[in-house]
Every structure is written in C-alpha cells, then in structure tokens.
Amino acid sequence: MLYLPVIVVHGGAGALPEELREIHARGCREAAFRGLEILLQGGSALDAVVEAVACLEDNPLFNAGTGASLDEEGHLSLDASVMEGSGLRAGGVCALPPFRNPIRIARAILEEGRHVLLAGEGAARFAVARGFEPADPASMITDSARRRLEEVLRGRADGHWPGGTVGAVARDAQGHLAAATSTGGTVGKAPGRVGDSPIPGAGTYADNASGAASATGEGEAILRVQLCRSACDLLLHGLEAPRAASQAIAHIGGRIKGRAGIILIDRNGQVGIAHNTETMSWAIARPGELKSGWRWEGSQP
C-alpha cells in the first residue's frame, strides 16, 4: 500500500517584523518544496526532513546553521536532531562548533546507531571522522547575528529570535514518519547551554504509531513539558492532529506560560500547526499543493 506523501516545515515562532514575514514564509516554502521533491522521487521521510532542514540551515534568515545566533561570547554553538518513526532511531548534536549543516551530522549519528546525542568537541570529532569539514566561523556568522547579540548584551532585547529554530516533519509513500530540528539557540546564551531542539521528545519526536513533531520557541519551557512527545501522545489518545497541536500549545502556555509553536503530522498524514506567539512561519507541501504563511489561523491545514 502506498500513502500520499506530505511534508511540513517551520521557520521559528516569535514576533517577526512585518517586512520579514513574507520572505520567511518563502524560505519555508522553498524548503518544503525540496523535501517534497525527494518524497516524490521515492525518498524516505528521513531523507526529506533532513534535506528540508539543510535548506533552512543554508538560509541566513533563520536561526540555524549559517546566520545562527551567537552565545554571550560571540561564538556559534549549534544544536540539531533527527528522528525516524519506524524504529525510533534518533541522532543529535548539541553545543557543536561551526559546521555548515548540523542536521547532516545528526543524521550520521542516527545511522551509526552507537549513540543518540553527541556534544561539543566530541560531536566535532565525530563529524570530522565521518568526512564533514569544520567551517570558518566568519563564513557562517552574519552581521545580523552580531547586531542581535549586541542588542541583547546591552539589554535592548531579549534572547528570543522570531526567525529562529527551523524544523520539518514528513510522511513518505511507505507511511513512515520522521522529524528534524536545528537551531543556534537563544541569542546571548551561556556557553554550553543546550536547548530543546536536539532532545528527543522535547524539540523533536517521531513514532509511526502516533506522529512526528518539531517545536520552536522558548527552549527551556519546551524541555520542561516535553512538548513534541506530549503532542504525539495526544494522537495516541485519539485526538486529531490539529487539536493535538493546539492542546499541546495550550498546555505549555497555561501550565508554565511558555511561548512556543509546533508542527505535527499523524500516521494518516493529517497536519496540525499551532503557536501562541504572534507569528510562526510555516509551509506544507503535498503532491499538487504547496502553501505557506507566517501565521497559522484555523483548525486544520
């Protein structure tokens, strides 16, 4: 039996300035289209989400890969993870020094299967051993990232970047699910800080029995409620994807006043998108359909 493939991506939750909203939506649309092309060529959900997130990592508009946020010492420290739903395999990197596409290194960890999560210099050594080349930090740090850090250090802004964490979820023609998430984290974070994005169940989760999810927003809050696993558990309890996404966001907002967004897909290919921030850029791609936006309004995509 073949299933209708679908991929959903997000480009971060927050409050995007009006002049940036459409170009962020366009960036999500381009990433979703790339993922859909892979699915239509017979690629797996895992292939699709990794390529979609790599596309967003290469886009300096977003807080992932090139253009990602800087810690309080002005350094890049990158987090990413990927998970596939058939065998619950996962791989992630955290506090990774500059490499062009952290999500590809996360997938290499998944494929090796020895560990789930590698950090810092250990993650960097693994990457080099697998043929990934370290990047010149100057080639990945943008003027925009430097300005954002300066504003945070001077107390003119908080560390939350509305064009932030990126992620993707997909179902392939075999019915398998996968999720991927990548981020530079909070602007001006302490060296060594790790957010939700590389942690299975928090910022990324996939299980063929329930669904796949990727989160964005306040990492510490997302960690505390295990947002993505919680949303997928709601699917197991019979909620449809739109309601499960909305209820998961209502819980993080009501329980600990966390600000977040989530994209969710269930095993039937139904999509849920929810956020309690002013904006969250997103895109959905299915055969014959490609749509995007910067705010989700409505109960069912």
Side-chain angles (χ1 to χ4, degrees):
M1 178 178 179
L2 294 180
Y3 297 82
L4 185 71
V6 56
I7 184 166
V8 187
V9 306
H10 72 76
L16 275 174
E18 188 170 350
E19 66 273 14
L20 296 179
R21 292 173 178 178
E22 180 51 38
I23 59 173
H24 276 248
R26 188 184 312 135
C28 288
R29 189 163 61 245
E30 291 170 355
F33 180 74
R34 179 182 293 187
L36 180 63
E37 283 186 314
I38 290 170
L39 293 172
L40 294 178
Q41 292 165 4
S44 68
L46 182 61
D47 295 331
V49 296
V50 169
E51 290 306 313
V53 167
C55 179
L56 293 167
E57 287 177 334
D58 290 337
N59 187 332
L61 286 173
F62 298 100
N63 178 14
T66 300
S69 66
L70 305 176
D71 68 20
E72 64 187 17
E73 295 179 351
H75 300 143
L76 279 173
S77 180
L78 306 169
D79 297 344
S81 69
V82 63
M83 186 169 181
E84 61 85 27
S86 62
L88 302 182
R89 294 184 301 152
V93 293
C94 58
L96 180 75
F99 281 80
R100 190 68 56 186
N101 290 116
I103 198 65
R104 298 192 191 280
I105 302 171
R107 179 175 184 169
I109 293 171
L110 178 153
E111 297 290 1
E112 185 190 62
R114 181 184 178 193
H115 300 299
V116 169
L117 183 63
L118 293 177
E121 289 305 317
R125 287 196 296 271
F126 171 90
V128 170
R130 297 308 182 277
F132 296 95
E133 294 187 4
D136 177 0
S139 71
M140 294 183 66
I141 296 175
T142 62
D143 290 339
S144 177
R146 292 189 181 94
R147 286 195 300 270
R148 289 179 184 276
L149 176 61
E150 183 178 356
E151 290 172 358
V152 169
L153 294 180
R154 292 186 177 185
R156 297 175 181 173
D158 62 25
H160 300 296
W161 188 342
T165 298
V166 304
V169 296
R171 184 183 74 165
D172 61 31
Q174 284 68 48
H176 298 308
L177 304 176
T181 313
S182 182
T183 190
T186 304
V187 181
K189 64 187 178 182
R193 180 263 190 185
V194 175
D196 66 289
S197 296
I199 307 301
T204 310
Y205 193 71
D207 183 351
N208 282 3
S210 56
S214 175
T216 171
E218 297 174 357
E220 279 70 19
I222 294 169
L223 279 164
R224 289 161 63 193
V225 302
Q226 291 288 287
L227 183 63
C228 286
R229 174 63 188 270
S230 296
C232 288
D233 283 350
L234 292 172
L235 297 173
L236 286 175
H237 285 88
L239 271 67
E240 294 187 342
R243 186 179 173 198
S246 296
Q247 190 164 314
I249 292 299
H251 174 69
I252 193 173
R255 182 70 173 85
I256 58 173
K257 295 183 172 56
R259 305 288 286 171
I262 192 170
I263 55 174
L264 177 68
I265 186 170
D266 67 18
R267 61 185 181 178
N268 298 314
Q270 188 181 47
V271 171
I273 299 176
H275 56 98
N276 59 9
T277 54
E278 183 179 344
T279 67
M280 183 176 79
S281 52
W282 58 271
I284 304 171
R286 301 181 180 95
E289 178 186 31
L290 177 62
K291 58 184 178 180
S292 63
W294 47 266
R295 175 187 290 150
W296 180 253
E297 296 175 348
S299 60
Q300 183 172 338

